[in-house]
Amino acid sequence: YAAGTFFAAMIKRPETEFLGLRGLFNQAIKRGDKTEALSLARRAHRLQPKSTWVADSMFDLQISTGQWLDARVTSDDLQRRKLIDSATAKRRKAVLNYQLGLEAREQGDLSAAEDHLRDAIKLAPDFVPAVVDLAARWVNGGKSPKAVKIIEDSWATGPHPALLEPYWMACGATDALDRVRAAKKLIQPNPDHPESRIALARASLEARLWGEARQSLDMALAETSPSPGRVCRMMAELEESENADQGRAREWLVRASQASADPGWVCDHCGNGVGEWSVTCGKCGEFDSFY
């Protein structure tokens, strides 16, 4: 209470106002009062717009309270003042456009939602959640060739397993051999990437092309350490299906059980794994940390 009174007195004097605001801001954060903290940060920003901690704090609070448009404005301001680099600003804007697209969809504005998704992908072609969302919209809207193109562009930039099923859907590849052909086309620009090996192995297994499946899995295992659990499980399936070798299959299943989990998304800040992408990590709160 005494500290709060002291800081409140400080903000009444021009020479100590900024320091007083910082003190009150820290108290609001400790209390968990994000609304008050954001109000104080905005006031501090007006006093010292070049302050990094103020702008960063505003951005973090706007993200945690779902104020996507305000966060985009703050990020643009950070870039303009050279407090963040252009690559960071571009990626942030892509993620925030995606969030604005989700918000527009929830409000029933499907046209605005699609515009936001397009903008997000233009800024970050490898931003998988936006690519998957827009591809699904286009497939449902009879624009499958456009969906195929954006997924191929995204895979070329950064292969990700979440793109594979949407790609097969966009290609209309429901037959196992069609999926093999589609997978080969998808991985063409990036054939040596482990995810490309795994994608082709998965399709080959479904099509019972044992030789192709084994070759892709062997290369994936050689290029990834430790061995991913999903690759070990595919090897178990291959041994059982091709050779009826229960012993080898069990060995691979044991290795799979000892491998790390196969979450769709992993936070590069704290290592938290989740099945669905989220704008912030539920464990550490980091923004756009899932890859």
Side-chain angles (χ1 to χ4, degrees):
Y1 176 78
T5 303
F6 177 66
F7 293 136
M10 287 179 73
I11 66 172
K12 294 176 181 176
R13 300 170 60 188
E15 64 271 24
T16 57
E17 183 180 0
F18 184 78
L19 290 174
L21 286 169
R22 185 162 192 170
L24 291 173
F25 171 87
N26 289 334
Q27 287 193 323
I29 290 294
K30 286 178 183 175
R31 292 196 308 271
D33 190 343
K34 292 182 179 180
T35 303
E36 176 65 11
L38 185 52
S39 175
L40 291 162
R42 286 192 174 116
R43 184 170 165 183
H45 183 65
R46 286 193 294 270
L47 287 176
Q48 292 193 20
K50 291 185 178 181
S51 168
T52 305
W53 82 261
V54 171
D56 284 345
S57 297
M58 278 177 57
F59 183 79
D60 290 344
L61 286 164
Q62 286 160 345
I63 292 299
S64 66
T65 53
Q67 298 181 42
W68 315 121
L69 198 55
D70 287 352
R72 197 172 68 177
V73 171
T74 298
S75 186
D76 287 345
D77 188 54
L78 281 164
Q79 182 187 10
R80 193 163 48 248
R81 298 181 189 282
K82 301 191 185 304
L83 298 175
I84 57 172
D85 60 48
S86 59
T88 300
K90 199 173 180 182
R91 174 71 187 194
R92 280 184 177 183
K93 197 167 187 175
V95 175
L96 292 168
N97 280 339
Y98 176 66
Q99 292 300 129
L100 286 166
L102 296 182
E103 193 172 74
R105 183 172 64 189
E106 287 172 7
Q107 294 167 356
D109 192 343
L110 300 184
S111 176
E114 184 166 323
D115 287 343
H116 284 305
L117 287 176
R118 284 172 182 265
D119 289 342
I121 294 166
K122 280 178 189 173
L123 290 162
D126 62 341
F127 183 35
V128 174
V131 172
V132 169
D133 265 21
L134 187 57
R137 288 171 185 275
W138 280 346
V139 169
N140 292 334
K143 301 175 183 175
S144 291
K146 293 177 74 172
V148 166
K149 178 70 166 60
I150 61 164
I151 296 173
E152 287 175 349
D153 289 346
S154 185
W155 192 277
T157 307
H160 194 283
L163 294 168
L164 190 57
E165 287 282 353
Y167 185 68
W168 282 336
M169 190 173 294
C171 291
T174 52
D175 174 80
L177 287 174
D178 285 343
R179 288 187 166 209
V180 172
R181 284 189 284 269
K184 286 181 177 178
K185 185 169 182 282
L186 177 64
I187 71 172
Q188 253 177 359
N190 221 330
D192 298 330
H193 193 285
E195 287 300 339
S196 293
R197 309 276 198 211
I198 294 168
L200 184 55
R202 180 177 161 192
S204 299
L205 262 180
E206 289 181 15
R208 304 176 69 80
L209 299 174
W210 311 131
E212 284 197 32
R214 187 175 296 277
Q215 183 181 25
S216 295
L217 289 172
D218 283 343
M219 287 189 286
L221 287 166
E223 294 161 0
T224 52
S225 182
S227 303
R230 59 194 162 129
V231 175
C232 294
R233 284 191 292 275
M234 282 194 275
M235 284 298 292
E237 183 182 340
L238 178 61
E239 294 295 356
E240 188 170 352
S241 302
E242 182 187 16
N243 302 321
D245 191 334
Q246 300 290 339
R248 287 288 289 158
R250 274 195 299 273
E251 287 175 19
W252 280 110
L253 288 174
V254 169
R255 284 181 66 175
S257 69
Q258 294 169 344
S260 55
D262 292 323
W265 303 93
V266 178
C267 174
D268 68 356
H269 187 256
C270 71
N272 181 33
V274 296
E276 292 186 14
W277 185 90
S278 174
V279 67
T280 54
C281 176
K283 187 175 179 182
C284 68
E286 192 75 5
F287 170 72
D288 185 32
S289 61
F290 286 113
Y291 288 91

